[in-house]
Amino acid sequence: MELIFFFIMAVLSVLSALTVVFAKSPVHSVLSLIVTFFLLSGQYVLLNAQFVAIVNLIVYAGAIMVLFLFVLMLLNLKDETEPQKSNLVRLSVTISAGMLLLTLIGSVRGAIAIPPSPAQSATVGLVENLGKILFSDFVVPFEVASILFIAAMVGAVLIGKRNKETDSEPLTTF
Amino acid sequence: MPLYLIIEKSVLVLFLFAVTMGVAAYSTWAERKIAAFLQDRLGPNRAGVFGLLQPLADGVKMFMKEEFIPSNAEKLLFIAGPGLFMFTALMTGAVIPWGPNLQIADLNIGILYVLGFVSVGVYGIMIGGWASNNKYSLFGAIRASSQMISYELAMGLVVIAIIMLTGSLDLKAIAEQQKGFNWNIIYQPFGFLIYCITALAECNRAPFDLPECETELIGGFHTEYSSMKLGFYLFAEYINMFISAAVIATLYLGGYNMPGLDYSAMNPIVGNAIAFVVLFTKTLLGVFVFIWVRWTLPRFRYDQLMHLGWKILIPLAILNMLLTGAGVLIFG
């Protein structure tokens, strides 16, 4: 039963991930990326990681992708207005992306397969267990990550802040 | 999964679906009746006694109207928009405990599931508004998304205070802990107030109905919609209202508990039936308050809405969280 669900979702997520790359319209790309996130959340549920699944939905599908879609809708990109890339640029982008792929494959090939953890019980991904591990074994990386987030937030506020001397009134209404 | 469980859950899903649809249909009638009362009018009174058949007449009208899709619209997304909005509105109801054993899915992350579907709910509006290829629809969609993102934050922060108080993300456990008159509203009055305000904003109800503000945007995100596709958008709003009133009742108003009622001492069938009636009454009272607010308060201006969300509600919610944390540390 779980295996069937896994394969259905795996095939669908690969398909929707390919749609992200190949879709002509950027809005369609973003929408298929949202579908991919949903399918990945389904995989997390199959792995008993319910908390990670729902946080993935709330943060990525619910907040970050809404912002992506928001910006794309505001820009309202159309085929006529979008600048067309020359063939030289396309060729160089293809080659460099291919080289990145090769590097990634090479690094993964040399890695050792990590054996599945013995504690693969149904409760491994519950909030209680995750919280206990985060605040005992991984407390330093966890706190460092939160400081990083605060620094990023302060930076974003600083960039977004209006310079009183040079800028005019901000646009507050839609 | 054993067969009896599948049958039991299917019956429950169908029953709650029918109840949600019925309540949503009669909320439209209640909305018009209450509005009429507040404005000293009569309201619908032609179809049936007290106009009780009005929702039926409205539904038939919606189905009979001409189906129109603008020629420059993205056809697939234009059709998907209302369906998606309806889907996300209905999905949220799956985790609400209507009685000690009357719950479709007892998830241990129930409240996060609700928040997740609330935040995904904006896609129906955004996709529909964008696919219409109309400036007013696009403005409505953009307003809806920025409004929902802003108010989600305050909503999540007050829910954290509830989680700290009860020590569980499970809606059933949260409801169980409020047995008798041990309701969360006593410990979290400010949280309750902030949650209600954000719930109004998340449902796009007045005074936060800027995405469909007719004085500025014609019809907002559903300007180009007609027939039952428009009906879906309007109907899903009432479903959202019903479900969020049920969530408010579960989080703050004791869920299915009432002082003097002990369900563990009762026959399971009778107990569940009484529990359902209790939560249903609380939910209907919540829906009434939603309607009452709509016909009492004027609409916010857009910058006032953003100011309220980011500069007042979020700091207050963080303060509420801090105070709750201190309280749990000292008295807990």
Side-chain angles (χ1 to χ4, degrees):
Chain A
M1 186 79 162
E2 278 181 15
L3 209 64
I4 300 169
F5 275 123
F6 169 77
F7 277 113
I8 292 172
M9 286 196 292
V11 169
L12 285 179
S13 50
V14 169
L15 282 180
S16 59
L18 286 176
T19 321
V20 176
V21 184
F22 288 115
K24 280 260 195 284
S25 148
V27 171
H28 289 174
S29 284
V30 169
L31 290 178
S32 34
L33 192 55
I34 296 163
V35 174
T36 315
F37 280 133
F38 264 86
L39 291 161
L40 285 183
S41 274
Q43 301 284 22
Y44 292 141
V45 171
L46 284 188
L47 292 170
N48 283 325
Q50 300 181 2
F51 182 72
V52 178
I54 202 74
V55 167
N56 185 41
L57 272 193
I58 294 176
V59 175
Y60 285 94
I64 293 177
M65 295 324 284
V66 170
L67 285 178
F68 270 49
L69 207 57
F70 184 86
V71 172
L72 283 177
M73 284 178 177
L74 266 182
L75 293 177
N76 210 4
L77 298 174
K78 294 257 166 57
D79 291 341
E80 313 94 65
T81 54
E82 221 179 338
Q84 295 296 315
K85 309 276 189 303
S86 69
N87 277 338
L88 189 69
V89 175
R90 286 183 184 174
L91 189 71
S92 52
V93 167
T94 314
I95 290 173
S96 46
M99 277 158 73
L100 179 66
L101 181 69
L102 271 182
T103 321
L104 284 176
I105 290 175
S107 61
V108 169
R109 246 191 98 232
I112 317 151
I114 303 166
S117 119
Q120 275 284 2
S121 67
T123 56
V124 71
L126 297 189
V127 192
E128 291 89 352
N129 302 332
L130 192 74
K132 271 178 196 143
I133 288 177
L134 272 184
F135 282 99
S136 57
D137 296 359
F138 297 98
V139 66
V140 176
F142 184 69
E143 295 296 334
V144 168
S146 58
I147 291 171
L148 201 67
F149 271 123
I150 290 182
M153 269 160 69
V154 171
V157 169
L158 211 65
I159 293 170
K161 211 173 159 195
R162 184 159 55 101
N163 189 338
K164 282 206 179 90
E165 287 153 21
T166 54
D167 291 359
S168 53
E169 275 289 299
L171 190 71
T172 48
T173 48
F174 285 115
Chain B
M1 198 185 252
L3 190 66
Y4 75 90
L5 203 64
I6 295 177
I7 294 172
E8 187 198 318
K9 292 290 177 192
S10 314
V11 169
L12 199 59
V13 167
L14 280 178
F15 173 67
L16 287 178
F17 177 70
V19 168
T20 311
M21 285 298 181
V23 169
Y26 274 91
S27 302
T28 63
W29 173 83
E31 173 111 50
R32 294 167 70 174
K33 273 291 185 192
I34 293 168
F37 172 72
L38 290 175
Q39 296 169 349
D40 207 9
R41 296 185 281 118
L42 283 175
N45 65 351
R46 296 290 106 181
V49 193
F50 302 120
L52 273 173
L53 294 177
Q54 191 65 40
L56 207 69
D58 283 342
V60 171
K61 185 194 85 175
M62 284 288 187
F63 274 112
M64 294 304 192
K65 287 265 182 178
E66 185 195 353
E67 188 109 358
F68 184 75
I69 297 180
S71 54
N72 275 330
E74 290 257 343
K75 203 171 172 200
L76 187 71
L77 292 180
F78 188 80
I79 296 169
L84 205 66
F85 196 47
M86 192 68 144
F87 171 75
T88 46
L90 284 168
M91 281 297 277
T92 323
V95 289
I96 294 167
W98 288 97
N101 303 310
L102 219 57
Q103 189 179 18
I104 295 171
D106 189 3
L107 299 183
N108 62 357
I109 43 158
I111 184 63
L112 289 182
Y113 173 93
V114 171
L115 288 179
F117 267 96
V118 163
S119 61
V120 170
V122 72
Y123 285 123
I125 294 180
M126 285 184 88
I127 289 172
W130 180 79
S132 304
N133 200 11
N134 173 323
K135 277 180 187 139
Y136 294 109
S137 302
L138 185 67
F139 276 139
I142 286 170
R143 279 184 177 189
S145 50
S146 47
Q147 171 179 334
M148 278 186 155
I149 289 179
S150 311
Y151 280 76
E152 248 167 48
L153 291 172
M155 188 183 238
L157 286 171
V158 289
V159 166
I160 287 178
I162 287 280
I163 295 168
M164 290 199 293
L165 212 61
T166 55
S168 175
L169 298 173
D170 189 349
L171 279 176
K172 177 106 173 286
I174 291 174
E176 282 292 333
Q177 283 194 351
Q178 304 179 59
K179 202 167 235 164
F181 201 62
N182 189 27
W183 295 2
N184 279 334
I185 188 175
I186 300 168
Y187 309 105
Q188 288 285 321
F190 290 114
F192 173 71
L193 210 65
I194 295 173
Y195 194 95
C196 286
I197 295 171
T198 54
L200 276 175
E202 294 287 327
C203 292
N204 293 326
R205 292 281 300 178
F208 303 108
D209 61 342
L210 285 116
E212 48 192 285
C213 163
E214 61 276 351
T215 44
E216 297 165 14
L217 297 182
I218 308 179
F221 60 91
H222 55 56
T223 302
E224 295 285 0
Y225 281 90
S226 62
S227 175
M228 205 53 204
K229 290 207 228 22
L230 174 67
F232 258 43
Y233 270 127
L234 303 181
F235 209 59
E237 187 186 313
Y238 287 95
I239 293 175
N240 268 331
M241 218 161 89
F242 174 64
I243 305 260
S244 58
V247 172
I248 290 174
T250 309
L251 285 181
Y252 290 98
L253 301 176
Y256 48 76
N257 292 298
M258 245 340 205
L261 282 178
D262 185 14
Y263 296 115
S264 54
M266 282 183 212
N267 178 327
I269 295 172
V270 178
N272 276 316
I274 294 175
F276 180 80
V277 172
V278 167
L279 182 54
F280 193 66
T281 316
K282 287 178 183 173
T283 307
L284 288 190
L285 279 175
V287 171
F288 170 72
V289 172
F290 270 44
I291 295 172
W292 186 12
V293 167
R294 170 168 178 187
W295 296 102
T296 310
L297 294 179
R299 183 183 287 131
F300 277 87
R301 223 169 50 217
Y302 196 80
D303 56 326
Q304 290 172 332
L305 171 101
M306 284 295 152
H307 184 266
L308 177 71
W310 285 98
K311 295 187 181 162
I312 299 176
L313 288 184
I314 291 179
L316 278 181
I318 292 176
L319 193 69
N320 181 53
M321 192 174 82
L322 271 175
L323 290 178
T324 312
V328 169
L329 207 64
I330 296 165
F331 303 110

